[in-house]
Amino acid sequence: MVRVKPFAAIRPAKGLTTEVAAPPYDVLDSAEAAAMAGEKSLLHITKPEIDFSPIAGEHEQRTYDKAVENFRLWQERGWLVRDSKPCYYVYSQTMGERTQYGLVLCAHTDDYASGVIKKHELTRKDKEDDRMVHVRIQNANIEPVFFSYKDNDELNRIVADAVAKPSEFSFTDENGFGHEFWVIGDDAVIARITEIFTNEIDAFYVADGHHRTAAAARVGAEKRAQNPHHTGNEEYNFFMAVCFPETHLKILDYNRLVKDLGCYSEADFLKALEEDFEVSLVSKPRCGRPAKPYAPSQLHNFSMYLGGRWYSLNAKPGRYDDADPIGVLDVTILSNLVLDKLLGIKDLRTDRRIDFVGGIRGLGELQRRVDSGGMKVAFALYPVSMTQLINIADSGKIMPPKTTWFEPKLRSGLAIHKLD
């Protein structure tokens, strides 16, 4: 079972939410952040290199110092204010006609160390180190991690009761996604939420934020080692997460682009694909108009854009293992049968011939990048399901890189957790 606790969040002062709230640090480069950041934007805290002219390096000491200074100033100026008591919070996100409701809470670092908080991706130490520095210097989780858990009827009812009341704020971001926030301050309800997670929820699943989760756990371990009177209940043992029931979440496709066909001509590449796939032409340019994009229709069906045409690729039976939670994934099938076998791309993390595009960008982005000449071929994949993600995490296995894309992203600045 998981350990959780409420916390006294640092939040934007009333009326300032839209000015403070910002996209996560890792979805904008420094130039984009500088162009977006208003005076009160959290980007001055999460990407403080933008406060220098020219823009400073992300890992320079002066950049880290500026982050600390700005976090202090935002509180001194009253732009960020700490709640008077520990609470749980509800954060909803709306994308189109779908709304997902998450509980904002603190999870325990011991649960990450013991594997009760389950991951499905490997982390890179350099990215962990960077996030660890930010947690350490601020003594706070400035941005939350994104967890899921198996549905619980009573928690669903508690959340439904909370959102039936007026919210603290709601707004629509620059992408057209809706964000809304409620405070759960009733002591009896707080106690019951804690009890349900402690007794009935057997695991958290990291949906997004593997590096932030690992960094928070490392900072907790660091502070534990420095405290001779450590009890395990100190605030530094906990880190901030937004936790959604699994049925609320939808994983988008995460697609691939490759710069060349290696030693193959287009005709030879299509012929080579026929060994492991049923290949059929779906659309081609007509009357001066580009080919109509084709999206995969089911698992083990892929779409490919090559030479201005869209193709359907159906993996032949026997080329994958439906009994293996990793082997059955379409990202694994594509990697094994095409990227590695035909194109010689063996390490998706380091090979510069390959690039990745989240499904939120649409198939048109794949087509555009091939047509522009920067890429030679694009592959679109059928999205992984939450059931697949949970099965893999439960089995202790790791998904291939760039397998899941969650949208909307959690907005930063709606709540901040201090480690003291």
Side-chain angles (χ1 to χ4, degrees):
M1 303 302 174
V2 296
R3 291 179 61 179
V4 303
K5 70 182 293 292
F7 68 106
I10 297 174
R11 302 191 285 120
K14 198 168 187 64
L16 296 185
T17 302
T18 56
E19 294 182 71
V20 173
Y25 82 97
D26 54 354
V27 303
L28 301 172
D29 63 28
S30 298
E32 291 170 328
M36 174 179 282
E39 179 190 17
K40 301 178 179 68
S41 173
L42 195 81
L43 291 169
H44 295 285
I45 298 170
T46 58
K47 296 188 74 66
E49 69 273 11
I50 67 176
D51 284 3
F52 298 92
S53 182
I55 292 173
E58 294 181 40
H59 309 303
E60 293 182 29
Q61 186 58 48
R62 60 175 177 160
T63 300
Y64 292 130
D65 292 342
K66 191 66 174 176
V68 175
E69 177 189 357
N70 286 346
F71 186 33
R72 175 180 57 79
L73 287 174
W74 264 235
Q75 294 173 83
E76 289 180 356
R77 293 168 179 169
W79 297 348
L80 290 171
V81 180
R82 194 169 191 174
D83 284 342
S84 60
K85 60 170 284 187
C87 299
Y88 288 116
Y89 308 88
V90 178
Y91 172 23
S92 78
Q93 300 175 295
T94 300
M95 177 179 171
E97 297 182 354
R98 182 175 62 86
T99 299
Q100 56 196 34
Y101 296 90
L103 280 163
V104 187
L105 48 76
C106 278
H108 202 287
T109 57
D110 281 354
D111 286 346
Y112 183 74
S114 68
V116 175
I117 296 173
K118 300 186 178 187
K119 58 187 179 182
H120 66 269
E121 290 182 3
L122 294 173
T123 55
R124 285 171 39 189
K125 188 176 183 298
D126 60 332
K127 293 189 71 173
E128 276 189 35
D129 290 345
D130 174 64
R131 288 302 94 194
M132 189 175 177
V133 169
H134 279 274
V135 175
R136 185 193 293 130
I137 63 174
Q138 300 289 22
N139 198 38
N141 307 127
I142 302 293
E143 298 182 291
V145 297
F146 183 172
F147 286 172
S148 182
Y149 61 91
K150 295 174 183 176
D151 278 59
N152 178 278
D153 289 342
E154 187 174 359
L155 284 176
N156 289 344
R157 287 194 296 271
I158 289 172
V159 169
D161 288 343
V163 304
K165 301 171 184 176
S167 62
E168 291 289 298
F169 59 79
S170 64
F171 66 94
T172 301
D173 67 24
E174 67 280 355
N175 299 308
F177 302 149
H179 304 265
E180 197 161 2
F181 200 88
W182 295 261
V183 176
I184 298 178
D186 182 271
D187 289 340
V189 178
I190 289 172
R192 183 57 186 153
I193 291 173
T194 305
E195 186 177 26
I196 294 170
F197 276 104
T198 301
N199 296 325
E200 301 180 29
I201 304 300
D202 59 0
F204 282 134
Y205 299 88
V206 182
D208 200 4
H210 284 80
H211 292 94
R212 275 169 276 176
T213 302
R218 286 174 60 187
V219 171
E222 184 178 81
K223 288 181 173 291
R224 174 182 304 190
Q226 295 168 353
N227 181 6
H229 305 294
H230 172 81
T231 66
N233 295 315
E234 296 87 355
E235 202 68 29
Y236 61 70
N237 293 288
F238 296 86
F239 61 99
M240 180 174 59
V242 185
C243 306
F244 295 88
E246 64 168 301
T247 57
H248 283 220
L249 300 181
K250 181 180 180 181
I251 303 173
L252 301 185
D253 45 312
Y254 213 158
N255 302 316
R256 277 78 169 120
L257 289 153
V258 181
K259 290 183 177 180
D260 60 70
L261 298 181
C263 62
Y264 292 97
S265 67
E266 290 184 12
D268 288 341
F269 185 64
L270 287 167
K271 186 67 176 176
L273 287 169
E274 292 177 352
E275 180 178 348
D276 296 308
F277 298 89
E278 297 172 0
V279 181
S280 57
L281 175 64
V282 177
S283 67
K284 59 184 179 180
R286 290 180 181 274
C287 303
R289 297 179 181 178
K292 181 180 179 181
Y294 166 71
S297 58
Q298 60 187 8
L299 286 174
H300 311 333
N301 175 240
F302 305 81
S303 62
M304 179 180 73
Y305 186 65
L306 174 67
R309 301 180 174 195
W310 284 95
Y311 297 85
S312 169
L313 311 180
N314 281 308
K316 293 180 179 179
R319 268 56 172 193
Y320 51 87
D321 183 1
D322 276 330
D324 179 354
I326 299 296
V328 73
L329 294 175
D330 283 349
V331 290
T332 304
I333 296 169
L334 184 73
S335 291
N336 291 344
L337 301 182
V338 181
L339 302 180
D340 184 355
K341 181 178 178 179
L342 300 184
L343 299 178
I345 297 173
K346 299 183 181 298
D347 189 342
L348 301 186
R349 297 174 184 275
T350 60
D351 198 307
R352 296 188 177 183
R353 295 168 60 208
I354 191 167
D355 199 3
F356 307 88
V357 175
I360 192 67
R361 303 291 296 275
L363 299 181
E365 176 67 7
L366 301 181
Q367 191 162 328
R368 182 192 70 78
R369 292 187 62 181
V370 172
D371 288 345
S372 69
M375 292 291 176
K376 181 64 177 180
V377 62
F379 300 94
L381 290 74
Y382 194 77
V384 172
S385 69
M386 280 300 300
T387 298
Q388 286 179 300
L389 184 152
I390 288 173
N391 287 343
I392 288 168
D394 283 343
S395 73
K397 296 186 177 182
I398 298 297
M399 285 184 174
K402 309 292 186 181
T403 299
T404 59
W405 183 279
F406 287 91
E407 201 76 47
K409 301 296 183 186
L410 299 177
R411 208 69 173 177
S412 298
L414 305 185
I416 293 169
H417 169 238
K418 287 283 289 180
L419 302 187
D420 56 16

